[in-house]
Structure formats: C-alpha cells, structure tokens
Amino acid sequence: MYSPNFYSFVDRAKSDENGFIEFHNAYVSSKMTNSDLYFVLNRYGLDEEQKDFHIKISPSKTIQPKDKQVGELLEQRLSFEKNIPKAITLNDNIKPNIKVNAIEYIPQEYNHNSFNSPSEHHLIESITLQAHYVLKDSHKKNIQGDEQSLLKESIQRHKHKTKWGYIVFDRDEDIEQTLKQLNKTQPLIYSKRFKELENIKGEIVNIPFKEEWENKQIRFFAYLWRANRDVGWNYEYTIEKLRMELNHLTESAYAIFAKEFIRIPQLREEYQKTIKQISNEILAIVDEEKDKSKKFELAKQYSKEAYLLRNQVLNDIRDKSSEFARALAKSEKPILPSFESLIARKMQQNNFMGKFENLSLEQKTKVYRDIIDSSKNTRKSVNNKMIYYKVFGRTFAIATIAYVSYDIYYSDDRLKTAREHTNIIGFGLLGSSVGMAMAVDTCDINPICYAGFALLGSLVGSSVGNLINNATDTILKKYGYE
C-alpha cells in the first residue's frame, strides 16, 4: 500500500485463499481532505523505488474525511488490470537515457545521524558502493525543460536496472594497462576476466567479499548497458584488512605509530565528509527561499547551527581519537574561532565596511550564508599532512608485518613464535594505551610528549609479554609439552 502523503509504502499484506486482504497501517494525512491510497502488486518484481510508475498502473482508493473520522474502511473492492505484467515489461525494456559516470564508496560503520561509529570489525565482510549518473550526450541535445529535473526523473525510472561487475588483478599488476589491453578488441563485459555480480542490481549495493579476492586488487564496475573501463572503483583487500586487523599483526613499537597514523586520516576523511554534507543540506534550504526577509532569518538561524554542528562534529571525531591524536589536532588548532570572529572575517572578505548592525539586509544575508558555506571547508595545510600520515602508517605496518612474517616463516616452531609475537604485540599496544592515558595531565596538547609516554608504555607492555612467554615456556616444559 503506497501513500502519496508520505511518499512511501506504508503497509504490506497478503491475500487469503478467498482473495481478501486486510491492512492495519493505512497511513494518510490527518487533514480532513481527501487522501489517496494505491495498492501495488509486488509479485511481478516491482521495485519500490519506481513509485511514480507504479501508481500509474495500480488501483487506488480515495479516503474521504468521513472515513478518517470512523478510522476504518471495510469491504472495498479492488480491480487489477490484466495488462499490469505487460506494462511493467514494456517499462523495463525502455532504453535508459542515462549512464553511470562515477562510483562512490560508502563507509558502512558511520552513522550520520548520531556522529558515532559502532565498534570496528576485525574483518571486512562486505563493501557498499553507490553509482552516480548523468544524461547521455545524445539525449542532452533534445532536452525540453529543466535538465536536472529530467535527470532526476530518469534516475528514478532506470536506476534499478544498474548492473555491477568486477575484474580481479594481481597485486603487482598495472590495472589501467591491463584494462586497455582487454578493451582493445572487445567490450569489457565480453572479456573472460570480467565477472558480473549476479543478483546484485541497483543504485546502491552491498557486495559480500570473496575469498579469492584476498591479496588481490579488484576494480568494480557499474553500468546500464556496457561497463566503461574509465568508470570504476578500485579496492585492495590486503590494505583494508591490514587496517582493520592492525592490532593483531604489528610489533609493539611500530604498532602504535602504524595504528595512529592510519587512523588519523580515516577520522579526518570522516570529518570532512560529514561537515560537507551538513553545509550542503543547510545551503539548499536557505537558497530555496525567495522572500528576502525569510531568507535572512533562515541564513541567520542556520549559520549559527552550522557553526555549532561543525564544532560538535569536530569534538565528536576527536573523542574517537587517542590521546596522541587529540593532542596532535589541538596543537594544530588549539582554540576554535568564535561565531563573532567569523562574522568579522566574512565582512572583511566581502569588503563590507562599518558595523554589522548597519549593513543592509542583503549584506547581512550574504555574511551569514558565507559562514554556512565556509563551514564545510577544512584547512589545506592539515589535509596535506594526511598524505604523509598515511605513508608513515603503512610504512610502519608493512615493516612490522615483514619482520613478524620472516621470523615465523624461518622458525623451527612456528606456532610458538606466532604465540610469542601475539603476546608482545598485544601487551605492547595495551601498554602504549595505558601510557598515553597516564600522560593526560602531564602532556596537555604536546603530541611529542604523548608519543614518548606511548613508547614507554609499549616498552613496559612488551616486557610483560616477554615475561608471559617465558612463564608459558617454563610451564610447558614442566608438563612435557616442550
């Protein structure tokens, strides 16, 4: 049952053996006016995202004010046209006038509503991707009306047909060069290396990981007709797995820095994406208002909210960081600018002279709007540092993994060596965390101080791990399990 008042399906039900259907959640507008409800058959593979199309072929019932007062409507008869399956088939056979032009990775662990993340997983089990679309060049020439409206309508009509596929590459294989060769004589989808993801269709999809992808590079493709080698998204399973299992794979001293310098850019990207989304949504609300007075009031209200939300997101992101990362962030920007200082800065940038109270309505609106717009901007100097942090983090991680792997591989007792490294890593990381926690009162916002306490704690933790290793060996020898 579809309710146009709520732009969504409000209830589902199955008919009994006599064809009777009972709905309990027939939600309509509370206003005492007529409201329509549409009854959509889902046995023909209907896609709920195609609401505009479904209501054209489905029977409806008008709920009158008197029905709303009673609160129920009984013994109604619905007539479903015989040509519904044919209409659906004809609609699906219409050639799309859009194409996929980009693929976006959607982090699964982040919740935009609460600014919090659940506990991290130790293994990546799936990945969520979203396709983005544009009108085909051949259709742009004959557009009558607004291009964006046509694009939106076309996406709504055709996005459920989006197919997904992938190609697996070796770790050292040049993806672009290989794709060029594969696409030289035939479309990619006809290549033996191209695999279509069966039963996975639509604009946003969740793709389960396959064991065969481990230690490989994968390029995912989304397409409505044929995959384009230039429209894809690359994923390297090993790096992502490394980031999620870092605490279990790295040696004590390097582990803490590998963990920190990989996590900091992740949180930075999370922060950038969130504040950009908030700013864009608020700007859309302000820009839609045409009345100058109302627009000023909206800009005034939302500029303050954008400022507060940005600071809230920043503080929430910092709360997810370690003491070392927080100190590093605060050393870059120890004091957040006040709202009043932002007003003064925007006046200066716009060459508005005098006091803010004396500005015209349009000028005040411009200042408030600029504050909203700038709330999505981040410092370029800090963003540039994230590149180096990623390099440092992966370098520390790879060096430690290489050492541990080498030690285990050439060991006479691999199980014992693996156990010893596990204890050293685990207690070393625990010690570094305790060390940083103890440094809060001493270090304030000095990241070097926190790094020193982390190393000291890591050293103590590693020593404890060694003691446990020795004690375990002694017990095993005593009972003859040498």
Side-chain angles (χ1 to χ4, degrees):
M1 180 189 292
Y2 175 73
S3 173
N5 292 139
F6 295 95
Y7 301 100
S8 65
F9 288 85
V10 293
D11 200 6
R12 293 171 176 80
K14 289 184 178 181
S15 61
D16 61 19
E17 57 185 11
N18 296 316
F20 290 101
I21 307 175
E22 186 174 352
F23 291 99
H24 298 280
N25 300 307
Y27 294 110
V28 292
S29 171
S30 59
K31 295 179 180 179
M32 284 302 160
T33 55
N34 288 343
S35 298
D36 291 327
L37 286 174
Y38 291 85
F39 299 87
V40 180
L41 286 172
N42 68 358
R43 62 178 176 177
Y44 297 111
L46 295 178
D47 184 344
E48 288 192 5
E49 293 176 340
Q50 296 176 278
K51 300 179 182 69
D52 293 339
F53 170 66
H54 296 334
I55 62 176
K56 293 177 182 177
I57 61 173
S58 302
S60 65
K61 176 64 183 176
T62 299
I63 309 300
Q64 300 177 10
K66 63 178 183 179
D67 303 322
K68 294 181 180 181
Q69 289 177 338
V70 175
E72 65 178 5
L73 196 61
L74 304 175
E75 298 182 5
Q76 301 298 305
R77 181 177 295 274
L78 298 175
S79 298
F80 292 91
E81 298 293 336
K82 292 182 178 180
N83 64 349
I84 287 181
K86 184 178 179 181
I88 295 170
T89 302
L90 290 174
N91 180 69
D92 285 344
N93 287 338
I94 296 175
K95 191 173 181 180
N97 59 344
I98 56 173
K99 62 182 180 180
V100 178
N101 73 323
I103 298 174
E104 179 186 3
Y105 166 64
I106 302 178
Q108 293 173 278
E109 72 276 10
Y110 191 70
N111 183 337
H112 291 288
N113 296 322
S114 62
F115 303 114
N116 289 318
S117 302
S119 58
E120 291 187 344
H121 304 289
H122 291 295
L123 269 175
I124 297 293
E125 297 178 352
S126 63
I127 186 170
T128 302
L129 299 177
Q130 178 177 4
H132 293 277
Y133 310 85
V134 293
L135 288 170
K136 289 183 177 179
D137 295 336
S138 58
H139 289 265
K140 288 184 179 180
K141 301 174 183 178
N142 304 316
I143 292 177
Q144 294 181 354
D146 180 46
E147 180 176 330
Q148 286 303 313
S149 297
L150 176 60
L151 175 61
K152 187 176 180 180
E153 180 183 338
S154 300
I155 291 174
Q156 192 72 18
R157 186 172 190 175
H158 297 294
K159 64 182 180 180
H160 71 288
K161 305 174 188 176
T162 306
K163 298 179 181 179
W164 292 80
Y166 67 93
I167 295 178
V168 177
F169 302 87
D170 291 331
R171 288 289 309 281
D172 57 353
E173 191 172 358
D174 188 322
I175 293 179
E176 301 304 329
Q177 192 62 33
T178 302
L179 287 175
K180 205 173 193 180
Q181 291 298 322
L182 293 175
N183 201 203
K184 198 170 185 179
T185 57
Q186 61 181 350
L188 275 182
I189 59 174
Y190 297 141
S191 168
K192 291 181 180 179
R193 294 185 63 174
F194 185 90
K195 306 293 182 183
E196 182 177 334
L197 288 163
E198 297 181 2
N199 301 320
I200 294 181
K201 289 185 177 182
E203 176 190 15
I204 301 176
V205 296
N206 185 260
I207 303 171
F209 271 94
K210 301 175 181 287
E211 290 185 8
E212 66 197 61
W213 293 352
E214 189 166 354
N215 298 317
K216 300 287 185 180
Q217 300 179 90
I218 307 103
R219 172 166 286 191
F220 293 100
F221 302 90
Y223 55 98
L224 288 158
W225 185 47
R226 288 180 178 176
N228 185 334
R229 75 166 189 254
D230 296 323
V231 181
W233 190 83
N234 295 346
Y235 192 91
E236 189 172 351
Y237 183 85
T238 304
I239 292 296
E240 195 66 28
K241 185 177 179 182
L242 166 66
R243 292 163 73 176
M244 302 306 289
E245 295 192 293
L246 197 55
N247 288 347
H248 303 286
L249 296 176
T250 53
E251 281 291 347
S252 175
Y254 278 178
I256 185 62
F257 291 111
K259 173 176 170 288
E260 292 299 327
F261 284 118
I262 286 177
R263 182 62 175 157
I264 290 171
Q266 287 178 334
L267 292 174
R268 182 71 177 177
E269 291 169 3
E270 185 175 315
Y271 168 64
Q272 289 173 311
K273 185 173 182 179
T274 305
I275 61 175
K276 184 177 181 181
Q277 177 187 346
I278 292 171
S279 177
N280 289 339
E281 289 178 355
I282 292 177
L283 278 177
I285 296 172
V286 174
D287 290 343
E288 283 178 1
E289 181 57 58
K290 303 303 180 185
D291 184 89
K292 292 182 179 180
S293 297
K294 292 182 179 179
K295 188 169 186 174
F296 165 74
E297 293 298 330
L298 284 174
K300 180 180 179 181
Q301 174 190 345
Y302 284 124
S303 62
K304 187 70 173 180
E305 290 186 14
Y307 167 79
L308 294 173
L309 280 172
R310 176 192 171 101
N311 291 341
Q312 178 191 334
V313 173
L314 179 60
N315 290 327
D316 288 343
I317 292 294
R318 285 180 176 178
D319 287 341
K320 293 190 222 176
S321 309
S322 67
E323 289 80 3
F324 169 77
R326 282 198 290 273
L328 199 63
K330 289 179 180 178
S331 66
E332 294 280 355
K333 194 173 185 179
I335 301 175
L336 298 174
S338 65
F339 185 72
E340 290 71 24
S341 67
L342 289 179
I343 291 177
R345 187 187 304 172
K346 296 306 172 185
M347 286 179 62
Q348 185 179 14
Q349 290 174 355
N350 286 285
N351 295 321
F352 294 157
M353 308 304 292
K355 294 183 178 181
F356 179 76
E357 294 78 15
N358 298 330
L359 298 180
S360 66
L361 188 66
E362 289 80 6
Q363 289 175 326
K364 290 180 180 178
T365 303
K366 180 70 167 62
V367 169
Y368 285 136
R369 191 193 181 282
D370 286 354
I371 291 175
I372 298 171
D373 190 38
S374 65
S375 67
K376 64 185 175 186
N377 298 332
T378 53
R379 292 171 64 189
K380 189 175 181 180
S381 59
V382 177
N383 296 338
N384 290 339
K385 289 181 181 179
M386 296 301 114
I387 300 173
Y388 299 108
Y389 288 173
K390 288 180 181 179
V391 173
F392 291 154
R394 290 181 181 180
T395 300
F396 281 126
I398 291 170
T400 307
I401 292 170
Y403 166 71
V404 173
S405 301
Y406 179 89
D407 200 20
I408 293 174
Y409 184 80
Y410 286 101
S411 173
D412 293 330
D413 189 343
R414 293 178 179 175
L415 182 61
K416 175 185 174 183
T417 305
R419 170 176 56 79
E420 290 175 345
H421 279 296
T422 299
N423 285 336
I424 291 171
I425 292 169
F427 283 96
L429 286 173
L430 178 62
S432 67
S433 298
V434 173
M436 286 193 290
M438 293 174 63
V440 173
D441 294 332
T442 305
C443 296
D444 194 14
I445 62 171
N446 187 338
I448 297 177
C449 178
Y450 278 103
F453 272 85
L455 284 174
L456 182 61
S458 178
L459 179 62
V460 174
S462 299
S463 299
V464 173
N466 274 323
L467 288 174
I468 292 175
N469 287 335
N470 295 333
T472 304
D473 290 339
T474 301
I475 294 171
L476 290 175
K477 286 179 182 179
K478 181 178 179 180
Y479 291 98
Y481 295 103
E482 192 173 349

